[in-house]
Amino acid sequence: LPRLDAYLNENCDLIVIQPGDNIKSEYNSQADYEALFQYCSEKVPNAKIVTVGNFWRVVQAEIGKNAACVNKGLSLVDLTDIRDDPKYQCGMGTLVYGEDGNTHSVTGTAVAIHPGNYGMDKIGKTR
């Protein structure tokens, strides 16, 4: 958790947390989520914390995240409505900007199924 300190400072007024999408098992990590939420709220007590639901279904991870949000009184952006809908995914052949500043075409399935621009816009507008 201390590795987050570089990002958590008194200037933060909003913290968006989206853990869990890359959990490959049915591990219910409620205690871990609660520890993360508590740490962030202690570091930046005046910031609003919003948690984003999973884009992929991992039932136990979602149960843990949802329960932790309820216990800590945090908002949860539910992505159930856009999950599994290709129009919200990046898609094969989509042009993206890499960390190197260059444009690249998406050629890998794992990248293609992530949210694309339309998906990210929908996530940002979901309450």
mmCIF file of all heavy atoms in Angstrom, residues 31-82:
data_model
loop_
_atom_site.group_PDB
_atom_site.id
_atom_site.type_symbol
_atom_site.label_atom_id
_atom_site.label_comp_id
_atom_site.label_asym_id
_atom_site.label_seq_id
_atom_site.Cartn_x
_atom_site.Cartn_y
_atom_site.Cartn_z
ATOM 1 N N ALA A 31 -11.414 -8.446 2.436
ATOM 2 C CA ALA A 31 -10.516 -7.835 3.416
ATOM 3 C C ALA A 31 -9.431 -7.007 2.731
ATOM 4 O O ALA A 31 -9.070 -5.928 3.219
ATOM 5 C CB ALA A 31 -9.886 -8.909 4.306
ATOM 6 N N ASP A 32 -8.927 -7.494 1.602
ATOM 7 C CA ASP A 32 -7.910 -6.746 0.856
ATOM 8 C C ASP A 32 -8.486 -5.447 0.298
ATOM 9 O O ASP A 32 -7.853 -4.401 0.342
ATOM 10 C CB ASP A 32 -7.331 -7.590 -0.276
ATOM 11 C CG ASP A 32 -6.529 -8.767 0.234
ATOM 12 O OD1 ASP A 32 -5.997 -8.696 1.356
ATOM 13 O OD2 ASP A 32 -6.434 -9.761 -0.499
ATOM 14 N N TYR A 33 -9.691 -5.527 -0.258
ATOM 15 C CA TYR A 33 -10.342 -4.317 -0.765
ATOM 16 C C TYR A 33 -10.563 -3.321 0.367
ATOM 17 O O TYR A 33 -10.297 -2.129 0.223
ATOM 18 C CB TYR A 33 -11.688 -4.647 -1.420
ATOM 19 C CG TYR A 33 -11.593 -5.397 -2.718
ATOM 20 C CD1 TYR A 33 -12.350 -6.534 -2.953
ATOM 21 C CD2 TYR A 33 -10.755 -4.964 -3.742
ATOM 22 C CE1 TYR A 33 -12.281 -7.216 -4.153
ATOM 23 C CE2 TYR A 33 -10.677 -5.638 -4.947
ATOM 24 C CZ TYR A 33 -11.445 -6.771 -5.146
ATOM 25 O OH TYR A 33 -11.374 -7.430 -6.336
ATOM 26 N N GLU A 34 -11.044 -3.808 1.496
ATOM 27 C CA GLU A 34 -11.299 -2.913 2.627
ATOM 28 C C GLU A 34 -10.012 -2.249 3.104
ATOM 29 O O GLU A 34 -10.009 -1.063 3.431
ATOM 30 C CB GLU A 34 -12.005 -3.651 3.754
ATOM 31 C CG GLU A 34 -13.440 -3.973 3.407
ATOM 32 C CD GLU A 34 -14.216 -4.613 4.546
ATOM 33 O OE1 GLU A 34 -13.756 -4.570 5.703
ATOM 34 O OE2 GLU A 34 -15.300 -5.147 4.268
ATOM 35 N N ALA A 35 -8.921 -3.004 3.118
ATOM 36 C CA ALA A 35 -7.634 -2.430 3.523
ATOM 37 C C ALA A 35 -7.192 -1.347 2.533
ATOM 38 O O ALA A 35 -6.698 -0.288 2.936
ATOM 39 C CB ALA A 35 -6.578 -3.528 3.620
ATOM 40 N N LEU A 36 -7.382 -1.591 1.241
ATOM 41 C CA LEU A 36 -7.038 -0.607 0.219
ATOM 42 C C LEU A 36 -7.879 0.657 0.380
ATOM 43 O O LEU A 36 -7.355 1.776 0.381
ATOM 44 C CB LEU A 36 -7.250 -1.205 -1.181
ATOM 45 C CG LEU A 36 -7.121 -0.253 -2.361
ATOM 46 C CD1 LEU A 36 -5.719 0.344 -2.445
ATOM 47 C CD2 LEU A 36 -7.484 -0.980 -3.651
ATOM 48 N N PHE A 37 -9.181 0.495 0.530
ATOM 49 C CA PHE A 37 -10.071 1.641 0.681
ATOM 50 C C PHE A 37 -9.731 2.434 1.943
ATOM 51 O O PHE A 37 -9.707 3.663 1.934
ATOM 52 C CB PHE A 37 -11.534 1.196 0.727
ATOM 53 C CG PHE A 37 -11.994 0.423 -0.475
ATOM 54 C CD1 PHE A 37 -13.072 -0.442 -0.385
ATOM 55 C CD2 PHE A 37 -11.364 0.540 -1.713
ATOM 56 C CE1 PHE A 37 -13.517 -1.153 -1.490
ATOM 57 C CE2 PHE A 37 -11.799 -0.165 -2.822
ATOM 58 C CZ PHE A 37 -12.878 -1.021 -2.708
ATOM 59 N N GLN A 38 -9.464 1.724 3.028
ATOM 60 C CA GLN A 38 -9.127 2.383 4.296
ATOM 61 C C GLN A 38 -7.825 3.166 4.165
ATOM 62 O O GLN A 38 -7.726 4.301 4.633
ATOM 63 C CB GLN A 38 -9.023 1.344 5.419
ATOM 64 C CG GLN A 38 -8.797 1.936 6.782
ATOM 65 C CD GLN A 38 -9.991 2.726 7.282
ATOM 66 O OE1 GLN A 38 -11.139 2.359 7.030
ATOM 67 N NE2 GLN A 38 -9.737 3.825 7.962
ATOM 68 N N TYR A 39 -6.844 2.563 3.540
ATOM 69 C CA TYR A 39 -5.552 3.215 3.365
ATOM 70 C C TYR A 39 -5.712 4.528 2.585
ATOM 71 O O TYR A 39 -5.190 5.563 2.980
ATOM 72 C CB TYR A 39 -4.579 2.281 2.634
ATOM 73 C CG TYR A 39 -3.173 2.790 2.596
ATOM 74 C CD1 TYR A 39 -2.318 2.585 3.669
ATOM 75 C CD2 TYR A 39 -2.677 3.489 1.489
ATOM 76 C CE1 TYR A 39 -1.011 3.056 3.653
ATOM 77 C CE2 TYR A 39 -1.385 3.958 1.459
ATOM 78 C CZ TYR A 39 -0.552 3.742 2.545
ATOM 79 O OH TYR A 39 0.735 4.220 2.524
ATOM 80 N N CYS A 40 -6.441 4.451 1.479
ATOM 81 C CA CYS A 40 -6.650 5.651 0.658
ATOM 82 C C CYS A 40 -7.412 6.727 1.426
ATOM 83 O O CYS A 40 -7.060 7.907 1.369
ATOM 84 C CB CYS A 40 -7.392 5.301 -0.626
ATOM 85 S SG CYS A 40 -6.421 4.306 -1.775
ATOM 86 N N SER A 41 -8.432 6.331 2.167
ATOM 87 C CA SER A 41 -9.223 7.323 2.895
ATOM 88 C C SER A 41 -8.434 7.947 4.040
ATOM 89 O O SER A 41 -8.631 9.114 4.368
ATOM 90 C CB SER A 41 -10.540 6.731 3.391
ATOM 91 O OG SER A 41 -10.324 5.751 4.372
ATOM 92 N N GLU A 42 -7.523 7.208 4.624
ATOM 93 C CA GLU A 42 -6.675 7.776 5.683
ATOM 94 C C GLU A 42 -5.635 8.722 5.103
ATOM 95 O O GLU A 42 -5.321 9.752 5.701
ATOM 96 C CB GLU A 42 -6.007 6.663 6.474
ATOM 97 C CG GLU A 42 -6.963 5.919 7.383
ATOM 98 C CD GLU A 42 -6.338 4.722 8.063
ATOM 99 O OE1 GLU A 42 -5.135 4.425 7.816
ATOM 100 O OE2 GLU A 42 -7.056 4.064 8.845
ATOM 101 N N LYS A 43 -5.097 8.392 3.945
ATOM 102 C CA LYS A 43 -4.078 9.232 3.318
ATOM 103 C C LYS A 43 -4.659 10.536 2.780
ATOM 104 O O LYS A 43 -4.003 11.570 2.809
ATOM 105 C CB LYS A 43 -3.365 8.482 2.181
ATOM 106 C CG LYS A 43 -2.406 7.438 2.656
ATOM 107 C CD LYS A 43 -1.225 8.093 3.327
ATOM 108 C CE LYS A 43 -0.172 7.107 3.714
ATOM 109 N NZ LYS A 43 0.999 7.759 4.282
ATOM 110 N N VAL A 44 -5.878 10.458 2.229
ATOM 111 C CA VAL A 44 -6.519 11.636 1.642
ATOM 112 C C VAL A 44 -7.968 11.691 2.161
ATOM 113 O O VAL A 44 -8.907 11.326 1.450
ATOM 114 C CB VAL A 44 -6.482 11.584 0.099
ATOM 115 C CG1 VAL A 44 -6.909 12.922 -0.492
ATOM 116 C CG2 VAL A 44 -5.104 11.202 -0.418
ATOM 117 N N PRO A 45 -8.141 12.127 3.392
ATOM 118 C CA PRO A 45 -9.464 12.051 4.021
ATOM 119 C C PRO A 45 -10.547 12.897 3.350
ATOM 120 O O PRO A 45 -11.734 12.612 3.510
ATOM 121 C CB PRO A 45 -9.211 12.520 5.452
ATOM 122 C CG PRO A 45 -7.901 13.199 5.444
ATOM 123 C CD PRO A 45 -7.118 12.664 4.290
ATOM 124 N N ASN A 46 -10.185 13.915 2.599
ATOM 125 C CA ASN A 46 -11.186 14.771 1.965
ATOM 126 C C ASN A 46 -11.528 14.362 0.541
ATOM 127 O O ASN A 46 -12.385 14.985 -0.084
ATOM 128 C CB ASN A 46 -10.715 16.231 1.977
ATOM 129 C CG ASN A 46 -10.604 16.757 3.395
ATOM 130 O OD1 ASN A 46 -11.439 16.457 4.247
ATOM 131 N ND2 ASN A 46 -9.559 17.521 3.656
ATOM 132 N N ALA A 47 -10.878 13.330 0.025
ATOM 133 C CA ALA A 47 -11.144 12.882 -1.346
ATOM 134 C C ALA A 47 -12.345 11.945 -1.378
ATOM 135 O O ALA A 47 -12.564 11.158 -0.458
ATOM 136 C CB ALA A 47 -9.926 12.163 -1.913
ATOM 137 N N LYS A 48 -13.121 12.047 -2.437
ATOM 138 C CA LYS A 48 -14.200 11.097 -2.679
ATOM 139 C C LYS A 48 -13.570 9.870 -3.328
ATOM 140 O O LYS A 48 -12.756 9.991 -4.243
ATOM 141 C CB LYS A 48 -15.254 11.690 -3.610
ATOM 142 C CG LYS A 48 -16.369 10.716 -3.925
ATOM 143 C CD LYS A 48 -17.431 11.323 -4.805
ATOM 144 C CE LYS A 48 -18.527 10.296 -5.039
ATOM 145 N NZ LYS A 48 -19.627 10.852 -5.812
ATOM 146 N N ILE A 49 -13.951 8.696 -2.853
ATOM 147 C CA ILE A 49 -13.437 7.450 -3.412
ATOM 148 C C ILE A 49 -14.574 6.747 -4.142
ATOM 149 O O ILE A 49 -15.647 6.530 -3.587
ATOM 150 C CB ILE A 49 -12.849 6.534 -2.325
ATOM 151 C CG1 ILE A 49 -11.691 7.230 -1.609
ATOM 152 C CG2 ILE A 49 -12.407 5.197 -2.923
ATOM 153 C CD1 ILE A 49 -11.129 6.460 -0.438
ATOM 154 N N VAL A 50 -14.332 6.434 -5.408
ATOM 155 C CA VAL A 50 -15.292 5.708 -6.226
ATOM 156 C C VAL A 50 -14.616 4.427 -6.695
ATOM 157 O O VAL A 50 -13.473 4.458 -7.161
ATOM 158 C CB VAL A 50 -15.728 6.554 -7.448
ATOM 159 C CG1 VAL A 50 -16.638 5.748 -8.362
ATOM 160 C CG2 VAL A 50 -16.404 7.837 -7.002
ATOM 161 N N THR A 51 -15.316 3.332 -6.582
ATOM 162 C CA THR A 51 -14.786 2.050 -7.023
ATOM 163 C C THR A 51 -15.517 1.613 -8.287
ATOM 164 O O THR A 51 -16.732 1.750 -8.376
ATOM 165 C CB THR A 51 -14.961 0.990 -5.920
ATOM 166 O OG1 THR A 51 -14.341 1.461 -4.732
ATOM 167 C CG2 THR A 51 -14.326 -0.313 -6.322
ATOM 168 N N VAL A 52 -14.769 1.105 -9.245
ATOM 169 C CA VAL A 52 -15.343 0.645 -10.510
ATOM 170 C C VAL A 52 -15.453 -0.868 -10.466
ATOM 171 O O VAL A 52 -14.510 -1.564 -10.087
ATOM 172 C CB VAL A 52 -14.466 1.091 -11.702
ATOM 173 C CG1 VAL A 52 -15.041 0.592 -13.012
ATOM 174 C CG2 VAL A 52 -14.327 2.608 -11.716
ATOM 175 N N GLY A 53 -16.617 -1.369 -10.850
ATOM 176 C CA GLY A 53 -16.848 -2.808 -10.884
ATOM 177 C C GLY A 53 -16.002 -3.500 -11.938
ATOM 178 O O GLY A 53 -15.304 -2.868 -12.727
ATOM 179 N N ASN A 54 -16.106 -4.794 -11.988
ATOM 180 C CA ASN A 54 -15.314 -5.578 -12.928
ATOM 181 C C ASN A 54 -15.912 -5.535 -14.330
ATOM 182 O O ASN A 54 -17.119 -5.620 -14.501
ATOM 183 C CB ASN A 54 -15.237 -7.032 -12.476
ATOM 184 C CG ASN A 54 -14.371 -7.215 -11.257
ATOM 185 O OD1 ASN A 54 -13.944 -6.256 -10.623
ATOM 186 N ND2 ASN A 54 -14.111 -8.455 -10.914
ATOM 187 N N PHE A 55 -15.032 -5.425 -15.323
ATOM 188 C CA PHE A 55 -15.443 -5.492 -16.719
ATOM 189 C C PHE A 55 -15.638 -6.953 -17.133
ATOM 190 O O PHE A 55 -16.413 -7.258 -18.011
ATOM 191 C CB PHE A 55 -14.398 -4.810 -17.600
ATOM 192 C CG PHE A 55 -14.857 -4.553 -19.007
ATOM 193 C CD1 PHE A 55 -15.893 -3.675 -19.268
ATOM 194 C CD2 PHE A 55 -14.234 -5.171 -20.075
ATOM 195 C CE1 PHE A 55 -16.322 -3.426 -20.569
ATOM 196 C CE2 PHE A 55 -14.642 -4.929 -21.380
ATOM 197 C CZ PHE A 55 -15.687 -4.050 -21.625
ATOM 198 N N TRP A 56 -14.907 -7.859 -16.467
ATOM 199 C CA TRP A 56 -15.063 -9.295 -16.698
ATOM 200 C C TRP A 56 -15.628 -9.927 -15.445
ATOM 201 O O TRP A 56 -15.360 -9.485 -14.337
ATOM 202 C CB TRP A 56 -13.716 -9.942 -17.058
ATOM 203 C CG TRP A 56 -13.199 -9.413 -18.343
ATOM 204 C CD1 TRP A 56 -13.638 -9.745 -19.595
ATOM 205 C CD2 TRP A 56 -12.184 -8.425 -18.527
ATOM 206 N NE1 TRP A 56 -12.947 -9.020 -20.537
ATOM 207 C CE2 TRP A 56 -12.042 -8.209 -19.909
ATOM 208 C CE3 TRP A 56 -11.381 -7.705 -17.663
ATOM 209 C CZ2 TRP A 56 -11.146 -7.319 -20.452
ATOM 210 C CZ3 TRP A 56 -10.473 -6.802 -18.189
ATOM 211 C CH2 TRP A 56 -10.361 -6.623 -19.572
ATOM 212 N N ARG A 57 -16.410 -10.964 -15.641
ATOM 213 C CA ARG A 57 -17.082 -11.614 -14.514
ATOM 214 C C ARG A 57 -16.128 -12.561 -13.775
ATOM 215 O O ARG A 57 -15.642 -13.540 -14.343
ATOM 216 C CB ARG A 57 -18.294 -12.402 -15.009
ATOM 217 C CG ARG A 57 -19.115 -13.030 -13.889
ATOM 218 C CD ARG A 57 -20.365 -13.711 -14.400
ATOM 219 N NE ARG A 57 -21.150 -12.885 -15.285
ATOM 220 C CZ ARG A 57 -21.968 -11.893 -14.907
ATOM 221 N NH1 ARG A 57 -22.092 -11.599 -13.641
ATOM 222 N NH2 ARG A 57 -22.642 -11.204 -15.795
ATOM 223 N N VAL A 58 -15.886 -12.245 -12.515
ATOM 224 C CA VAL A 58 -15.181 -13.122 -11.582
ATOM 225 C C VAL A 58 -16.022 -13.047 -10.304
ATOM 226 O O VAL A 58 -15.861 -12.134 -9.498
ATOM 227 C CB VAL A 58 -13.726 -12.675 -11.329
ATOM 228 C CG1 VAL A 58 -13.028 -13.632 -10.383
ATOM 229 C CG2 VAL A 58 -12.953 -12.565 -12.639
ATOM 230 N N VAL A 59 -16.934 -13.982 -10.160
ATOM 231 C CA VAL A 59 -18.009 -13.883 -9.181
ATOM 232 C C VAL A 59 -17.520 -13.602 -7.766
ATOM 233 O O VAL A 59 -17.970 -12.655 -7.119
ATOM 234 C CB VAL A 59 -18.899 -15.155 -9.221
ATOM 235 C CG1 VAL A 59 -19.960 -15.108 -8.135
ATOM 236 C CG2 VAL A 59 -19.543 -15.284 -10.589
ATOM 237 N N GLN A 60 -16.613 -14.402 -7.243
ATOM 238 C CA GLN A 60 -16.180 -14.213 -5.851
ATOM 239 C C GLN A 60 -15.456 -12.884 -5.654
ATOM 240 O O GLN A 60 -15.631 -12.220 -4.632
ATOM 241 C CB GLN A 60 -15.295 -15.375 -5.391
ATOM 242 C CG GLN A 60 -16.056 -16.670 -5.194
ATOM 243 C CD GLN A 60 -17.150 -16.547 -4.147
ATOM 244 O OE1 GLN A 60 -17.037 -15.840 -3.161
ATOM 245 N NE2 GLN A 60 -18.249 -17.244 -4.377
ATOM 246 N N ALA A 61 -14.659 -12.487 -6.636
ATOM 247 C CA ALA A 61 -13.966 -11.195 -6.536
ATOM 248 C C ALA A 61 -14.986 -10.056 -6.505
ATOM 249 O O ALA A 61 -14.827 -9.084 -5.764
ATOM 250 C CB ALA A 61 -12.998 -11.022 -7.697
ATOM 251 N N GLU A 62 -16.032 -10.173 -7.309
ATOM 252 C CA GLU A 62 -17.067 -9.144 -7.326
ATOM 253 C C GLU A 62 -17.836 -9.110 -6.009
ATOM 254 O O GLU A 62 -18.164 -8.034 -5.505
ATOM 255 C CB GLU A 62 -18.030 -9.376 -8.488
ATOM 256 C CG GLU A 62 -17.392 -9.085 -9.827
ATOM 257 C CD GLU A 62 -18.358 -9.326 -10.969
ATOM 258 O OE1 GLU A 62 -19.209 -8.449 -11.195
ATOM 259 O OE2 GLU A 62 -18.252 -10.384 -11.611
ATOM 260 N N ILE A 63 -18.109 -10.283 -5.450
ATOM 261 C CA ILE A 63 -18.807 -10.340 -4.161
ATOM 262 C C ILE A 63 -17.976 -9.629 -3.101
ATOM 263 O O ILE A 63 -18.496 -8.829 -2.317
ATOM 264 C CB ILE A 63 -19.103 -11.802 -3.764
ATOM 265 C CG1 ILE A 63 -20.185 -12.375 -4.679
ATOM 266 C CG2 ILE A 63 -19.510 -11.901 -2.302
ATOM 267 C CD1 ILE A 63 -20.386 -13.881 -4.535
ATOM 268 N N GLY A 64 -16.673 -9.908 -3.073
ATOM 269 C CA GLY A 64 -15.791 -9.265 -2.100
ATOM 270 C C GLY A 64 -15.713 -7.764 -2.292
ATOM 271 O O GLY A 64 -15.763 -6.992 -1.327
ATOM 272 N N LYS A 65 -15.599 -7.327 -3.540
ATOM 273 C CA LYS A 65 -15.511 -5.898 -3.819
ATOM 274 C C LYS A 65 -16.813 -5.196 -3.435
ATOM 275 O O LYS A 65 -16.801 -4.137 -2.814
ATOM 276 C CB LYS A 65 -15.213 -5.655 -5.297
ATOM 277 C CG LYS A 65 -14.997 -4.182 -5.623
ATOM 278 C CD LYS A 65 -14.928 -3.885 -7.104
ATOM 279 C CE LYS A 65 -13.841 -4.614 -7.806
ATOM 280 N NZ LYS A 65 -13.705 -4.224 -9.218
ATOM 281 N N ASN A 66 -17.937 -5.784 -3.808
ATOM 282 C CA ASN A 66 -19.231 -5.180 -3.481
ATOM 283 C C ASN A 66 -19.434 -5.074 -1.976
ATOM 284 O O ASN A 66 -19.882 -4.036 -1.476
ATOM 285 C CB ASN A 66 -20.368 -5.985 -4.120
ATOM 286 C CG ASN A 66 -20.351 -5.923 -5.627
ATOM 287 O OD1 ASN A 66 -19.633 -5.127 -6.233
ATOM 288 N ND2 ASN A 66 -21.126 -6.781 -6.257
ATOM 289 N N ALA A 67 -19.112 -6.140 -1.244
ATOM 290 C CA ALA A 67 -19.268 -6.124 0.212
ATOM 291 C C ALA A 67 -18.351 -5.080 0.849
ATOM 292 O O ALA A 67 -18.753 -4.373 1.780
ATOM 293 C CB ALA A 67 -18.983 -7.514 0.786
ATOM 294 N N ALA A 68 -17.130 -4.970 0.345
ATOM 295 C CA ALA A 68 -16.194 -3.972 0.881
ATOM 296 C C ALA A 68 -16.706 -2.559 0.641
ATOM 297 O O ALA A 68 -16.591 -1.691 1.519
ATOM 298 C CB ALA A 68 -14.812 -4.157 0.255
ATOM 299 N N CYS A 69 -17.283 -2.317 -0.517
ATOM 300 C CA CYS A 69 -17.849 -0.997 -0.810
ATOM 301 C C CYS A 69 -18.994 -0.668 0.147
ATOM 302 O O CYS A 69 -19.083 0.448 0.667
ATOM 303 C CB CYS A 69 -18.333 -0.911 -2.255
ATOM 304 S SG CYS A 69 -16.990 -0.788 -3.446
ATOM 305 N N VAL A 70 -19.850 -1.635 0.370
ATOM 306 C CA VAL A 70 -20.962 -1.424 1.305
ATOM 307 C C VAL A 70 -20.419 -1.136 2.703
ATOM 308 O O VAL A 70 -20.835 -0.183 3.362
ATOM 309 C CB VAL A 70 -21.912 -2.646 1.316
ATOM 310 C CG1 VAL A 70 -22.905 -2.557 2.468
ATOM 311 C CG2 VAL A 70 -22.645 -2.756 -0.012
ATOM 312 N N ASN A 71 -19.468 -1.955 3.169
ATOM 313 C CA ASN A 71 -18.911 -1.780 4.513
ATOM 314 C C ASN A 71 -18.214 -0.440 4.696
ATOM 315 O O ASN A 71 -18.227 0.128 5.783
ATOM 316 C CB ASN A 71 -17.937 -2.904 4.852
ATOM 317 C CG ASN A 71 -18.643 -4.191 5.190
ATOM 318 O OD1 ASN A 71 -19.857 -4.217 5.406
ATOM 319 N ND2 ASN A 71 -17.901 -5.277 5.230
ATOM 320 N N LYS A 72 -17.601 0.064 3.633
ATOM 321 C CA LYS A 72 -16.856 1.326 3.723
ATOM 322 C C LYS A 72 -17.673 2.518 3.224
ATOM 323 O O LYS A 72 -17.197 3.648 3.229
ATOM 324 C CB LYS A 72 -15.543 1.231 2.934
ATOM 325 C CG LYS A 72 -14.560 0.235 3.515
ATOM 326 C CD LYS A 72 -14.121 0.649 4.906
ATOM 327 C CE LYS A 72 -13.111 -0.301 5.486
ATOM 328 N NZ LYS A 72 -12.694 0.111 6.827
ATOM 329 N N GLY A 73 -18.904 2.272 2.782
ATOM 330 C CA GLY A 73 -19.778 3.354 2.329
ATOM 331 C C GLY A 73 -19.315 4.028 1.057
ATOM 332 O O GLY A 73 -19.509 5.225 0.872
ATOM 333 N N LEU A 74 -18.739 3.247 0.147
ATOM 334 C CA LEU A 74 -18.222 3.800 -1.096
ATOM 335 C C LEU A 74 -19.159 3.549 -2.261
ATOM 336 O O LEU A 74 -19.888 2.559 -2.294
ATOM 337 C CB LEU A 74 -16.862 3.182 -1.432
ATOM 338 C CG LEU A 74 -15.754 3.387 -0.415
ATOM 339 C CD1 LEU A 74 -14.486 2.712 -0.890
ATOM 340 C CD2 LEU A 74 -15.515 4.863 -0.155
ATOM 341 N N SER A 75 -19.127 4.454 -3.228
ATOM 342 C CA SER A 75 -19.882 4.281 -4.464
ATOM 343 C C SER A 75 -19.226 3.201 -5.307
ATOM 344 O O SER A 75 -18.004 3.095 -5.352
ATOM 345 C CB SER A 75 -19.894 5.583 -5.265
ATOM 346 O OG SER A 75 -20.490 6.615 -4.537
ATOM 347 N N LEU A 76 -20.053 2.411 -5.987
ATOM 348 C CA LEU A 76 -19.558 1.386 -6.883
ATOM 349 C C LEU A 76 -20.194 1.594 -8.250
ATOM 350 O O LEU A 76 -21.412 1.622 -8.379
ATOM 351 C CB LEU A 76 -19.901 -0.019 -6.372
ATOM 352 C CG LEU A 76 -19.499 -1.172 -7.285
ATOM 353 C CD1 LEU A 76 -17.986 -1.323 -7.338
ATOM 354 C CD2 LEU A 76 -20.136 -2.468 -6.829
ATOM 355 N N VAL A 77 -19.358 1.776 -9.272
ATOM 356 C CA VAL A 77 -19.835 1.910 -10.643
ATOM 357 C C VAL A 77 -19.981 0.499 -11.199
ATOM 358 O O VAL A 77 -18.993 -0.194 -11.424
ATOM 359 C CB VAL A 77 -18.845 2.740 -11.496
ATOM 360 C CG1 VAL A 77 -19.306 2.792 -12.939
ATOM 361 C CG2 VAL A 77 -18.675 4.132 -10.920
ATOM 362 N N ASP A 78 -21.215 0.070 -11.391
ATOM 363 C CA ASP A 78 -21.523 -1.285 -11.853
ATOM 364 C C ASP A 78 -21.399 -1.358 -13.371
ATOM 365 O O ASP A 78 -22.027 -0.587 -14.093
ATOM 366 C CB ASP A 78 -22.941 -1.648 -11.418
ATOM 367 C CG ASP A 78 -23.324 -3.078 -11.748
ATOM 368 O OD1 ASP A 78 -22.481 -3.836 -12.276
ATOM 369 O OD2 ASP A 78 -24.477 -3.441 -11.460
ATOM 370 N N LEU A 79 -20.579 -2.286 -13.856
ATOM 371 C CA LEU A 79 -20.348 -2.424 -15.293
ATOM 372 C C LEU A 79 -21.114 -3.590 -15.919
ATOM 373 O O LEU A 79 -20.882 -3.933 -17.076
ATOM 374 C CB LEU A 79 -18.847 -2.600 -15.563
ATOM 375 C CG LEU A 79 -17.941 -1.479 -15.063
ATOM 376 C CD1 LEU A 79 -16.505 -1.728 -15.493
ATOM 377 C CD2 LEU A 79 -18.425 -0.133 -15.540
ATOM 378 N N THR A 80 -22.057 -4.152 -15.191
ATOM 379 C CA THR A 80 -22.815 -5.301 -15.688
ATOM 380 C C THR A 80 -23.468 -5.008 -17.031
ATOM 381 O O THR A 80 -23.489 -5.866 -17.918
ATOM 382 C CB THR A 80 -23.884 -5.718 -14.656
ATOM 383 O OG1 THR A 80 -23.226 -6.010 -13.417
ATOM 384 C CG2 THR A 80 -24.651 -6.939 -15.123
ATOM 385 N N ASP A 81 -24.008 -3.806 -17.205
ATOM 386 C CA ASP A 81 -24.723 -3.471 -18.437
ATOM 387 C C ASP A 81 -23.839 -3.420 -19.681
ATOM 388 O O ASP A 81 -24.338 -3.565 -20.794
ATOM 389 C CB ASP A 81 -25.435 -2.125 -18.296
ATOM 390 C CG ASP A 81 -26.604 -2.186 -17.338
ATOM 391 O OD1 ASP A 81 -27.027 -3.307 -16.973
ATOM 392 O OD2 ASP A 81 -27.095 -1.118 -16.948
ATOM 393 N N ILE A 82 -22.540 -3.204 -19.505
ATOM 394 C CA ILE A 82 -21.672 -3.118 -20.684
ATOM 395 C C ILE A 82 -20.772 -4.338 -20.830
ATOM 396 O O ILE A 82 -20.098 -4.492 -21.843
ATOM 397 C CB ILE A 82 -20.832 -1.818 -20.695
ATOM 398 C CG1 ILE A 82 -19.784 -1.797 -19.585
ATOM 399 C CG2 ILE A 82 -21.741 -0.609 -20.611
ATOM 400 C CD1 ILE A 82 -18.809 -0.651 -19.710
#
